[in-house]
Amino acid sequence: MSESVAPRARASEPTSRGAATARRISAAPVDLVIEHGYDATTVDMICAAAGVSQRTFFNHFPTKEASVIGVDGPRLDESRVRSFIAGTSPSILGDAIELIAQSVLAAAPDIDGMRRRMQAITSSPTLMQRQIDQFAVIERELAEIVQYRLARVSSPDEPEGDLQAQSRLTAHLLAGVMRYVAGAVMAGDRAAAGDAIIETRRQLAALLPKLAGG
């Protein structure tokens, strides 16, 4: 029995160590970029701060840029996406806001760390543009997800093109709303994040009928 357990324990160690090393490397450039600027920060400086070799750095991140903003960019939580699509709440926009916010919070539980990373990203036009590119991917994914939900509450004879346009418009609205929510979250702590989401949904419920003339 011990022989069958030992290999599994050893096999899990590189994954655990690798994840810890990746987190250490990812944390290192944030303070460096804030202090020295993105252009002046080098891979050598990041490696020195993280206590790793260049080889180890490039095993985890293909570029200096990726070490700051991540390799794959933000992703929506799959289980929350399924819950959103199956949802029955009349507030599709509010549910979508919660979907994004909870996915982001799940991926970045350290609010203070996320706040400092955003400070580093917004200090550099290069990093800002890359962040925008990453969120454009999320917007396209959101448009597809929202279209599934809209199709369930739309009349059968509504043109497919209208649903696609409405879904894209909703995704663009969400991008702006999420900047608003992110500002509220960044100004507080993790405990305030849930309150910021609830308050945003409340304000939207009051605002949208006014904008639509309802």
Side-chain angles (χ1 to χ4, degrees):
M1 181 178 293
S2 61
E3 291 179 358
S4 64
V5 172
R8 287 200 295 270
R10 287 197 297 269
S12 69
E13 287 174 357
T15 300
S16 177
R17 288 199 302 268
T21 301
R23 287 193 296 271
R24 192 166 72 250
I25 296 171
S26 179
V30 173
D31 289 336
L32 292 171
V33 171
I34 292 173
E35 181 178 356
H36 303 287
Y38 176 68
D39 291 336
T41 297
T42 66
V43 171
D44 282 340
M45 292 166 65
I46 297 171
C47 290
V52 300
S53 66
Q54 278 206 13
R55 179 179 178 178
T56 298
F57 176 92
F58 287 113
N59 280 340
H60 292 279
F61 297 99
T63 62
K64 175 180 74 171
E65 176 187 281
S67 72
V68 184
I69 66 173
V71 177
D72 298 322
R75 289 290 181 270
L76 298 176
D77 181 84
E78 290 185 10
S79 64
R80 289 187 170 92
V81 167
R82 289 193 293 270
S83 296
F84 170 79
I85 292 174
T88 57
S89 164
S91 178
I92 296 176
L93 187 61
D95 284 357
I97 290 169
E98 190 154 351
L99 163 67
I100 301 172
Q102 294 299 343
S103 294
V104 170
L105 288 172
D110 179 8
I111 293 294
D112 288 336
M114 186 165 63
R115 185 183 295 118
R116 286 190 62 77
R117 190 170 301 278
M118 286 307 301
Q119 181 182 347
I121 290 171
T122 55
S123 72
S124 164
T126 299
L127 295 178
M128 274 295 295
Q129 183 57 55
R130 179 59 178 147
Q131 185 85 332
I132 290 169
D133 293 342
Q134 287 188 343
F135 274 98
V137 175
I138 286 252
E139 281 191 36
R140 290 194 292 271
E141 185 180 356
L142 275 171
E144 295 176 3
I145 294 167
V146 168
Q147 187 170 344
Y148 284 117
R149 182 80 174 262
L150 284 175
R152 291 172 42 214
V153 298
S154 301
S155 62
D157 58 348
E158 187 163 4
E160 183 75 11
D162 285 359
L163 283 179
Q164 291 176 350
Q166 291 165 17
S167 300
R168 289 195 300 269
L169 178 58
T170 302
H172 285 303
L173 284 172
L174 283 167
V177 172
M178 284 314 302
R179 283 194 292 271
Y180 175 84
V181 173
V185 172
M186 292 297 107
D189 55 20
R190 186 174 181 81
D195 292 337
I197 296 168
I198 293 170
E199 177 61 13
T200 300
R201 294 190 65 157
R202 188 183 74 81
Q203 293 292 354
L204 278 173
L207 174 63
L208 291 177
K210 298 176 185 177
L211 295 179

